Amino acid sequence: MNLLQKIVLFLPAKLFGTVVRWRNTCFDCGLLRSAKFDLPVICIGNITVGGTGKTPHTEYLIRHFADKRVAVLSRGYKRRTRGFIVADAHTTARDIGDEPFQMHRKFPQAIVAVDEKRAHGIEQLLQLPQPPDIILLDDAFQHRFVKPSFSIVLIDYNRPTDTDDYLPLGRLRESQQGLQRADCIIVSKCPTDYAPDHARWRRRLHLRDAQQLHFSTFDYEPPRALADNAAWPFAPTDKPHLLVVTGIVSPQGLYDNLRPQAATITPLAFADHHHFSAADFKHIGQLFDALPTPKAIVMTEKDAARVISNPLINNTLKSHIFTIGIRVRFLDSVPVLPARV
């Protein structure tokens, strides 16, 4: 960002910060009310825009509570619907958003629902014939109309919040002071060989002694066929030429993971949460056809969620697509969740 852009965005950022501080003050002093519920509600969020790894960490919690009836409630970013929806066998990414649909496909035992009004969504979940034992609120740290039992905030290792600015000058949704509301802070996307420095990060984030601090990284899973979940067909010696199609904030980690097992990588990056059009699929097909054999198309699970039920893609192209999932791995200790959970 050049100096002129910073000057132009300075006042909008100041105004945004003022509004956010006023809103938080209204909640803190009771002028705006937060609803509380008689079951565990865990919030997973951040104080910045952009990918910090909320979905993989939510998936970690779904696995952690495998013995519970878990519900995930999201607003369903960029969905084509409104109101409360519970995912079922007929649901698509357009109905509930790509990340909720990804979790719905991976965890059919979990209840996945969307509602832009989280308190209303929780009320609707509690009225189900088999209501959940625990609710995970995806990306709801700023949605203060619900008082969670436990709040987890993610900080991207590569984008520390203490050097950032408010939107639109920077990436902050609220100031770093908002971290004081969190029970647990996770520094995500750490290098796999990082040795956590708790003291330094506690100073940088101004954390209280009672607040948990943990560090996580991502492990990439083996590619699976989008069409039928078949295993990666290439032997280690048969390195394919890969067309890597992404619509995420930062695809660099995916490229780094694929590079050792590929002859070449052709990246095709779209904006985050991009909805693929007929023209996009035509372009993808042309790029793929131009690659030498052996070859394959690779996507993240999040991107594949917007492709699997898209009527604009033909089965031939779909048969060449493989997806890669990611799992959270903690570099030190795992979060300690409340006893009542």
Side-chain angles (χ1 to χ4, degrees):
M1 186 179 296
N2 60 42
L3 179 59
L4 179 59
Q5 289 175 314
K6 290 182 178 180
I7 293 172
V8 171
L9 296 177
F10 177 79
L11 285 180
K14 286 293 183 182
L15 177 60
F16 180 83
T18 299
V19 172
V20 169
R21 286 192 297 271
W22 175 82
R23 180 178 183 273
N24 280 331
T25 298
C26 288
F27 277 106
D28 293 339
C29 68
L31 291 176
L32 293 175
R33 300 292 182 87
S34 301
K36 296 186 69 174
F37 295 89
D38 293 329
L39 83 166
V41 177
I42 298 180
C43 171
I44 307 98
N46 55 25
I47 61 171
T48 59
V49 294
T52 54
K54 292 184 298 296
T55 298
H57 284 82
T58 302
E59 292 180 353
Y60 169 86
L61 291 175
I62 295 174
R63 294 186 183 99
H64 178 82
F65 293 114
D67 61 335
K68 309 280 187 181
R69 187 179 299 111
V70 177
V72 179
L73 180 61
S74 171
R75 65 170 169 156
Y77 183 63
K78 285 202 172 183
R79 62 181 169 130
R80 302 296 177 87
T81 59
R82 294 190 63 80
F84 177 76
I85 296 176
V86 176
D88 59 24
H90 306 289
T91 301
T92 69
R94 291 187 173 229
D95 299 322
I96 61 173
D98 53 8
E99 289 162 330
F101 183 70
Q102 171 186 323
M103 288 184 277
H104 172 58
R105 288 188 69 219
K106 290 180 69 174
F107 303 99
Q109 77 280 12
I111 304 166
V112 177
V114 294
D115 197 329
E116 56 270 22
K117 297 180 179 179
R118 303 308 207 292
H120 177 263
I122 294 175
E123 292 167 356
Q124 295 300 304
L125 286 170
L126 296 179
Q127 293 178 26
L128 294 176
Q130 290 186 305
D133 301 317
I134 178 173
I135 295 175
L136 307 178
L137 293 182
D138 177 38
D139 194 15
F141 191 63
Q142 284 74 40
H143 191 88
R144 297 192 62 185
F145 289 101
V146 172
K147 175 69 174 176
S149 313
F150 193 79
S151 288
I152 299 173
V153 172
L154 304 177
I155 302 291
D156 187 337
Y157 172 90
N158 304 290
R159 298 179 180 273
T161 53
D162 59 336
T163 58
D164 210 340
D165 293 294
Y166 279 114
L167 289 166
L169 182 59
R171 300 167 61 88
L172 289 179
R173 296 178 174 182
E174 60 177 307
S175 75
Q176 187 169 276
Q177 186 177 356
L179 293 178
Q180 297 300 308
R181 303 196 311 274
D183 300 290
C184 173
I185 290 83
I186 299 174
V187 181
S188 64
K189 298 187 175 181
C190 295
T192 56
D193 59 350
Y194 178 65
D197 188 340
H198 287 256
R200 183 172 72 89
W201 279 93
R202 282 190 171 276
R203 288 194 302 270
R204 292 189 70 171
L205 302 177
H206 303 289
L207 301 184
R208 294 175 283 107
D209 290 342
Q211 291 179 287
Q212 298 183 43
L213 175 64
H214 301 277
F215 298 82
S216 69
T217 189
F218 291 151
D219 289 332
Y220 287 85
E221 298 176 335
R224 309 290 299 190
L226 175 64
D228 58 7
N229 203 40
W232 187 243
F234 304 103
T237 55
D238 298 329
K239 294 186 176 183
H241 299 269
L242 300 182
L243 173 61
V244 183
V245 181
T246 59
I248 58 178
V249 174
S250 178
Q252 188 59 51
L254 179 61
Y255 301 154
D256 293 342
N257 173 260
L258 290 170
R259 194 164 285 114
Q261 53 189 307
T264 61
I265 288 179
T266 301
L268 180 59
F270 295 91
D272 194 23
H273 298 279
H274 177 75
H275 283 290
F276 294 98
S277 66
D280 293 330
F281 289 128
K282 181 179 180 180
H283 183 47
I284 292 170
Q286 290 171 339
L287 290 176
F288 179 70
D289 289 342
L291 293 178
T293 57
K295 58 185 175 180
I297 302 170
V298 175
M299 290 182 167
T300 66
E301 288 181 324
K302 173 179 168 179
D303 294 314
R306 281 173 271 118
V307 172
I308 185 68
S309 56
N310 193 315
L312 301 176
I313 185 173
N314 63 64
N315 289 331
T316 300
L317 183 61
K318 188 184 292 187
S319 69
H320 295 293
I321 297 176
F322 291 80
T323 67
I324 290 190
I326 55 177
R327 284 206 181 202
V328 167
R329 175 166 55 89
F330 286 95
L331 297 175
D332 49 356
S333 56
V334 300
V336 179
L337 298 169
R340 68 176 295 228
V341 175

